[in-house]
Amino acid sequence: MRTTLITIAACFAFALAACGGDGDAEENAEFAAQVNAICADYGPKLELIPPPAEALDEWAAIGADLADLLEASVNELRLLAPSEGLSEDFGGWLALRTDMATAMRDVQAAGGLHDESALDDALGRVDEAMTTADPLADQQLGLGGRSAR
C-alpha cells in the first residue's frame, strides 16, 4: 500500500508540474498557458506532501492533503474556457480529476477507519482514473504525457 500511494503522490506532483503542452493551434495557446500556470502552482505543493509510513492514520492525513490540492486545482481549472474543439475532452478530463479527488477522500476515510481493504480499493480507483486520464490529456487535449495526474 505504501508504495502505491508514494507512486500516486509522485505522479500527481510530476504531472501537475509538467502539464500543459505546446498547443498545436494558436487558438489553444492561451488555454494551454492558463493550464500550465495552474499546474505550475500546484505541482510544488504536491511535492511537499511526505509519503506515508505504514500507519493507516498517516494514510488518512496524506489522502486529505492530496484530495484538498486536487479539489482546489480542479476548481481553478473549471474556470478556464477551452476552445469549442477541446471543450468536451476537457470536461471529461476534469471529471476524471474529480474522480481522483473523490477516491483520495475515500483514502482519507479508510485510513481513519483503519480499513485496509477500503484503502486498497480507493487507491485502485485513483490509479484507474489516472490511467484513463493520461491518454485523454496527452492525445486529445495535447497537454503532454502524464498531465492528467
Side-chain angles (χ1 to χ4, degrees):
M1 281 186 306
R2 181 172 188 248
T3 304
T4 302
L5 190 57
I6 292 169
T7 301
I8 288 170
C11 289
F12 281 147
F14 171 78
L16 280 175
C19 78
D22 54 6
D24 293 336
E26 280 185 44
E27 66 189 61
N28 296 327
E30 183 177 340
F31 175 71
Q34 292 170 338
V35 172
N36 279 333
I38 292 169
C39 293
D41 184 41
Y42 284 94
K45 293 174 186 177
L46 287 164
E47 290 174 1
L48 292 176
I49 298 173
E54 295 299 321
L56 288 175
D57 288 342
E58 290 184 32
W59 288 83
I62 298 302
D65 290 343
L66 288 171
D68 287 347
L69 290 172
L70 278 168
E71 290 166 354
S73 70
V74 166
N75 289 337
E76 286 190 41
L77 288 164
R78 281 191 177 138
L79 297 174
L80 301 181
S83 67
E84 188 175 316
L86 295 179
S87 184
E88 185 176 333
D89 289 329
F90 185 66
W93 182 66
L94 286 179
L96 289 165
R97 292 179 63 81
T98 300
D99 292 347
M100 285 185 251
T102 300
M104 288 312 299
R105 287 290 175 213
D106 292 343
V107 166
Q108 176 186 2
L113 295 171
H114 299 123
D115 186 340
E116 277 193 58
S117 177
L119 179 64
D120 287 340
D121 177 63
L123 289 172
R125 288 185 290 119
V126 170
D127 187 54
E128 182 179 321
M130 288 170 36
T131 300
T132 304
D134 273 351
L136 180 60
D138 188 30
Q139 297 164 10
Q140 301 304 118
L141 296 172
L143 296 178
R146 303 178 70 104
S147 62
R149 294 182 184 175

